[in-house]
Amino acid sequence: MITVGARKAEPGPNGSRHEPAGGAMLGSPSNSDDVLVDCRSLWKIFGSRASAAMKAVQERGLGKTEVLKEFGCVVGVANATFSVRRGEIFCIMGLSGSGKSTLLRMLNRLVEPTSGEVFVKGRALSSLDAAALRELRARHVAMVFQSVALLPHRTVLENAAFGLEVRGVAKAERHRAAEEALRKVGLGDWLQRYPRELSGGMQQRVGLARALAVDPEIILMDEPFSALDPLIRRQLQDEFRQLTKDLGKSAVFITHDLDEAIRIGDRIAIMKDGAIIQIGTPEEIVLAPADDYVAKFVAGISRLHLVKAHSVMVPVERFRAERPDVDPRRLVTTTPDADIDRLIDLILADPAPGIAVVEAGRLVGVVTVRSLLLGLKGSPTPELAPV
Amino acid sequence: MTAPFSPGSWLAPLVGWLNTNFHPFFESVSVTVDAVVEGVRAALLLPPAPIFVALVAGAAGFFLGWRLALLAVAALGFCGLVDLWEESMETLALVTVSVAVAVAIAVPFGILAARRRRFEAALRPVLDVMQTVPPWVYLIPAVIFFGLGQVPAIVATIVYGIPPMLRLTTLGFKQVPEDLVELGRAIGAPPRAILLKIEFPSALPTLLVGLNQCILLSLAMVVLAGLVGAGGLGAEVTRGLTRMELGLGLRAGLAIVAVAILLDRLSRAVLRRGRAASVG
Ligand SMILES: Nc1ncnc2c1ncn2[C@@H]1O[C@H](COP(=O)(O)OP(=O)(O)OP(=O)(O)O)[C@@H](O)[C@H]1O
Ligand SMILES: [Mg+2]
C-alpha cells in the first residue's frame, strides 16, 4: 500500500504535483497535443422538448427549475467546460444527481450532448460516424463502471479480454493482453475463476483490467469504488493512482466523496446541479473554495497532507521586519512542498521561531508557528496576519 | 341456422380469394414442408430403434446426467414396446419441424418487440388471439389452404407454438441488465456482438423456458392434428377414437405421454444447464 505522503512526493508527468495556488492550470502544457479531452460548453437536457429548452436556456438564461417547470425537461449537465491533459487524473466530484455520470458519458458519446462539443485527441466526437466512434471507444477511451458489469458466464480471463474480443483480436493475443492486465491489478492467479467467485474489490479489479487490456489512453471511471467497504476502497484508490501514473494513462474519475477525489485526483472539478462550480488542484479546492457550497464540503477535510509549506509561509522580508532578532538563514530548512504534517514535526523538534523554506538553494519564505496554525485552520492568507 | 354475428362470413371470402389467387404459393409451401418433414422422419428412422434409443440415451447421459439417460431409455423403449415406433418418430419429426420454424419466427419478432414498444403493443392482441382461440380452429383455414395431411398440421402447430416463444423472448431481452448493454456500447462492440455475446447469453434461461413451452404446446397440437390426417401418434389416437378401439387409443395415448415427458424433461435439463451457465 502506498501512503499518501509518499505518493504526493512523487512528481507526476506534468512536473511537480502541486504548484502554488492561484495558477488555475497545473504544469501548463506547452502544446495542445497534451490535451487529450477537451469539453466546450457541454449541455445535456433530458426530455422530448430538449432542443426547445436548450434554446430558451441560451436566449433567456433559464435555470434548472424553470426549465423543468416550463418544458418538463431535466437539465443533466449545464455548460461544462474543462480539459484533461495527458497523464492527468481528473476527478469529478458532486452529490447524487449532480450530473456526473451524464457528463462522463458525453466524453465517449454514450450520451449525446444537447449542445457543446467534446474533442478527444483533437477530434470532435460529433464528427465521428458510428464505425469511427466504435473504434474510438474500443482503442482510446475505456470505461469502468460502478456496477462492474462483468459477464457472469465468462471467466475472469475472458471478461478481461472482452474488449479485445469484440474488436476481433485473435484468441491467443487477447488472452495474453488480458492476462498481463490482470497481473497488473494483482489477479494473475484468478484467470479461470468466474466473477461470482470473487469479492467486490476483486471484481472491480477485473473491470479495471478489462479497461487496461485494450491499452487505452484515457480511462473513464464512474464511481468505481463506491460500492466497496472503506478499507478495500482506500487500497484500491492508492493502487489505481499508482497504476495509472506508472502506465502513463489519463483518467476521468467520478466520485461523490471529496476525500477520494483528493486522494486520487491531480485536479478536481466540483459539480452542483449539472454545473461545474470549481476546478482546481486538491490544494486549491481546500484552501480557496469558490463558494459556500464547496466550503462546506472542504470543512471536514484534513489539511495535514494537503497543505504545503509554500501556502503557509510568510515572505522573508516580513519575517525579517517583524523578527529582526532572528536570522532566517540559520533556521532549520525544508522544501516548499513539505506538508503540514512534516512542518509540525520540524517545529516540535526545534525550538527556533520558524522554519526556513528553501527552493533550489534560495530562501523563499519562513513558516512560523502562527502561520502554520492559520494554514491548518484554513485561512489561506497567512501573509496578512502578524507573524 | 346463421349466427347474428359471424366473422367467418367475411373471413371465408377472404380465405377463398387467397386460396384461388395464391394457390401456387400455398402449393409450393406445401411441397417444401412435406419434403422437410419427410427428410427429418427418414433421418429419425434411419437407425434401427435400439440404436436410436442408445444414441439418445448416450447423448442425454453425457450432457445432462444419467437420470435423463434412463428416462430416455424408458420413454423411447415404451414407444417401441407398444409397437408405435414409427408413429412416434413421425410425431417427433412433426414437432421438430414445427418448433424449428416457430422459433425461427418468434425469436426475431420477440427481439424486435423488446426494442420497440409500439411494435410490442401492436403484437400483443395478435398473440392473445393466437393463444386463446381453441387450437383446432386453426386447422380449418390450414386445411383450406394446404389440403389434408401433415402440412396443415404443421402450419397450425407453428401458429400455436409462436406466442409462448415470442413472449418469453421479449421478456428475456427486456431483462438483460442495462449495465451490460452499456458495457457493450462503451467498449465499441458492434451491434451484432452486443446481441450475440451480451444479450443472447443473458436472455438464454428465459429463451429456454419459452422453448420448453413451445415444444409441449406443439406436441399437443401435432397430436390434435391427427384429425386432419397428419400421421404419427395423433393419427393412431384418431383411429382409436373413430373405430372405438380402446386398446389402440390407450397405447397411442400412453406413447404420447412418454414422448411428452421425455421432451419436457430433456428441455428442462437443458434449461437448468443454461441457467447454471448464465450465472457462471
Ligand atoms: N436518461 C435520462 N433521462 C432523464 N433524465 C435523466 C437521464 N439520465 C439522467 N437524468 C437526470 O439527470 C440528472 C443527472 O443525472 P446523473 O446520473 O448524471 O447524476 P449523477 O451525478 O451521476 O448521480 P449519481 O451520483 O446518483 O450517480 C438527474 O437529475 C437525473 O435524474
Ligand atoms: Mg452516476
Side-chain angles (χ1 to χ4, degrees):
Chain A
M1 187 165 139
I2 314 115
T3 67
V4 177
R7 75 144 163 93
K8 294 259 159 101
E10 85 198 322
N14 290 322
S16 86
R17 195 178 125 89
H18 294 295
E19 291 192 349
M25 292 291 177
L26 176 72
S28 47
S30 47
N31 63 47
S32 56
D33 276 358
D34 282 327
V35 174
L36 277 184
V37 180
D38 193 9
C39 304
R40 308 214 183 126
S41 317
L42 279 182
W43 287 81
K44 180 65 196 183
I45 299 181
F46 292 105
S48 50
R49 299 175 62 203
S51 51
M54 188 67 233
K55 226 173 136 204
V57 165
Q58 273 160 349
E59 284 166 6
R60 296 187 274 141
L62 294 191
K64 192 170 167 140
T65 38
E66 289 111 71
V67 170
L68 187 59
K69 217 186 275 164
E70 211 172 302
F71 295 90
C73 293
V74 176
V75 178
V77 171
N79 203 11
T81 299
F82 64 91
S83 52
V84 180
R85 288 185 292 270
R86 193 176 290 281
E88 181 180 37
I89 301 180
F90 188 89
C91 280
I92 298 174
M93 204 286 294
L95 296 183
S96 185
S98 57
K100 309 179 295 289
S101 298
T102 309
L103 179 55
L104 190 77
R105 278 161 180 70
M106 287 195 281
L107 303 187
N108 61 357
R109 229 176 110 189
L110 282 181
V111 169
E112 198 78 46
T114 312
S115 159
E117 185 62 89
V118 179
F119 297 87
V120 173
K121 297 176 60 183
R123 285 206 297 172
L125 288 195
S126 64
S127 71
L128 302 181
D129 61 15
L133 191 58
R134 281 203 295 274
E135 177 75 9
L136 179 95
R137 290 171 183 165
R139 289 177 189 272
H140 305 294
V141 187
M143 195 161 174
V144 178
F145 304 85
Q146 176 177 357
S147 62
V148 197
L150 297 180
L151 297 168
H153 51 279
R154 287 165 174 260
T155 62
V156 165
L157 182 66
E158 287 165 345
N159 264 290
F162 193 56
L164 295 165
E165 180 181 337
V166 300
R167 209 168 85 192
V169 175
K171 191 166 182 174
E173 166 65 14
R174 66 177 191 249
H175 281 185
R176 194 199 53 70
E179 190 177 334
E180 196 187 315
L182 284 165
R183 289 200 191 293
K184 280 179 194 153
V185 299
L187 289 181
D189 296 334
W190 294 78
L191 306 182
Q192 299 307 329
R193 301 306 180 97
Y194 284 89
R196 67 184 151 84
E197 299 177 86
L198 272 56
S199 70
M202 290 160 90
Q203 291 186 8
Q204 196 49 280
R205 287 195 176 124
V206 179
L208 184 57
R210 177 174 60 200
L212 291 175
V214 303
D215 197 22
E217 278 123 311
I218 310 153
I219 308 176
L220 307 179
M221 319 252 311
D222 190 353
E223 302 203 28
F225 306 146
S226 294
L228 306 176
D229 48 54
L231 225 60
I232 299 291
R233 198 163 154 182
R234 288 197 124 199
Q235 191 184 342
L236 275 178
Q237 288 164 357
D238 293 334
E239 283 177 12
F240 169 71
R241 185 176 162 87
Q242 184 72 40
L243 196 57
T244 315
K245 291 297 173 189
D246 287 351
L247 299 175
K249 305 286 180 208
S250 313
V252 180
F253 189 105
I254 286 194
T255 174
H256 59 245
D257 174 5
L258 186 59
D259 268 319
E260 181 167 80
I262 288 172
R263 223 174 151 78
I264 284 184
D266 293 314
R267 284 191 303 150
I268 300 171
I270 308 236
M271 283 188 87
K272 183 193 175 192
D273 293 340
I276 294 182
I277 50 181
Q278 185 173 8
I279 299 182
T281 62
E283 196 176 3
E284 285 162 16
I285 301 261
V286 170
L287 290 184
D291 62 9
D292 288 352
Y293 182 78
V294 183
K296 269 190 209 129
F297 269 110
V298 167
I301 299 295
S302 162
R303 288 149 211 276
L304 278 184
H305 299 288
L306 204 57
V307 178
K308 303 295 162 59
H310 61 71
S311 313
V312 297
M313 65 193 184
V314 295
V316 186
E317 304 73 50
R318 259 192 60 212
F319 183 81
R320 282 216 170 93
E322 299 199 11
R323 296 295 301 266
D325 54 316
V326 184
D327 179 1
R329 276 167 306 179
R330 305 191 74 103
L331 295 171
V332 176
T333 64
T334 189
T335 53
D337 63 356
D339 60 25
I340 288 194
D341 197 39
R342 172 99 188 105
L343 293 173
I344 291 176
D345 286 345
L346 289 173
I347 282 191
L348 290 180
D350 185 69
I355 300 161
V357 181
V358 177
E359 186 172 33
R362 206 169 59 82
L363 182 66
V364 291
V366 179
V367 176
T368 66
V369 175
R370 194 180 163 78
S371 75
L372 188 60
L373 289 177
L374 281 170
L376 198 52
K377 190 109 196 323
S379 163
T381 52
E383 311 88 55
L384 302 183
V387 176
Chain B
M1 193 193 116
T2 55
F5 172 67
S6 167
S9 63
W10 45 268
L11 263 182
L14 176 68
V15 170
W17 180 82
L18 281 174
N19 200 17
T20 3
N21 291 281
F22 289 86
H23 189 73
F25 167 73
F26 292 120
E27 186 66 32
S28 62
V29 170
S30 198
V31 171
T32 318
V33 171
D34 246 337
V36 173
V37 177
E38 279 316 305
V40 175
R41 198 180 70 106
L44 291 177
L45 286 171
L46 193 63
I51 294 192
F52 184 86
V53 175
L55 282 177
V56 172
F62 184 75
F63 291 110
L64 306 166
W66 61 271
R67 283 166 202 273
L68 283 148
L70 225 65
L71 182 74
V73 171
L76 291 173
F78 181 83
C79 294
L81 285 180
V82 294
D83 198 22
L84 289 169
W85 179 255
E86 275 191 32
E87 289 77 4
S88 301
M89 290 304 109
E90 211 168 321
T91 294
L92 269 185
L94 288 168
V95 170
T96 307
V97 174
S98 310
V99 167
V101 177
V103 168
I105 295 172
V107 168
F109 277 88
I111 294 175
L112 197 63
R115 302 209 163 146
R116 305 240 187 283
R117 190 164 304 186
R118 288 227 193 102
F119 182 67
E120 192 196 4
L123 214 54
R124 195 169 301 143
V126 179
L127 293 179
D128 287 341
V129 170
M130 283 166 76
Q131 252 180 329
T132 46
V133 167
W136 47 89
V137 175
Y138 294 139
L139 289 171
I140 303 168
V143 170
I144 295 177
F145 290 132
F146 301 105
L148 290 175
Q150 57 193 10
V151 178
I154 289 219
V155 171
T157 307
I158 290 169
V159 173
Y160 199 54
I162 284 176
M165 189 71 220
L166 201 161
R167 280 186 208 274
L168 284 159
T169 303
T170 304
L171 181 69
F173 272 75
K174 279 186 162 176
Q175 282 173 342
V176 175
E178 200 69 52
D179 58 340
L180 291 185
V181 176
E182 184 174 49
L183 163 76
R185 298 211 297 140
I187 60 175
R192 223 179 95 91
I194 295 180
L195 178 71
L196 294 181
K197 300 191 174 199
I198 294 177
E199 293 181 294
F200 208 76
S202 299
L204 190 63
T206 313
L207 294 182
L208 290 174
V209 172
L211 184 67
N212 175 272
Q213 292 194 6
C214 183
I215 289 174
L216 292 184
L217 287 173
S218 298
L219 179 63
M221 187 68 184
V222 159
V223 168
L224 192 67
L227 285 173
V228 295
L233 296 170
E236 298 309 306
V237 174
T238 310
R239 192 170 306 139
L241 181 69
T242 49
R243 295 188 193 159
M244 280 299 151
E245 278 184 35
L246 181 61
L248 175 62
L250 203 58
R251 274 190 298 136
L254 289 176
I256 290 168
V257 171
V259 171
I261 290 179
L262 179 64
L263 288 180
D264 179 57
R265 297 301 186 273
L266 282 181
S267 57
R268 269 173 206 258
V270 172
L271 169 60
R272 264 200 305 281
R273 273 183 62 96
R275 273 221 185 96
S278 81
V279 295

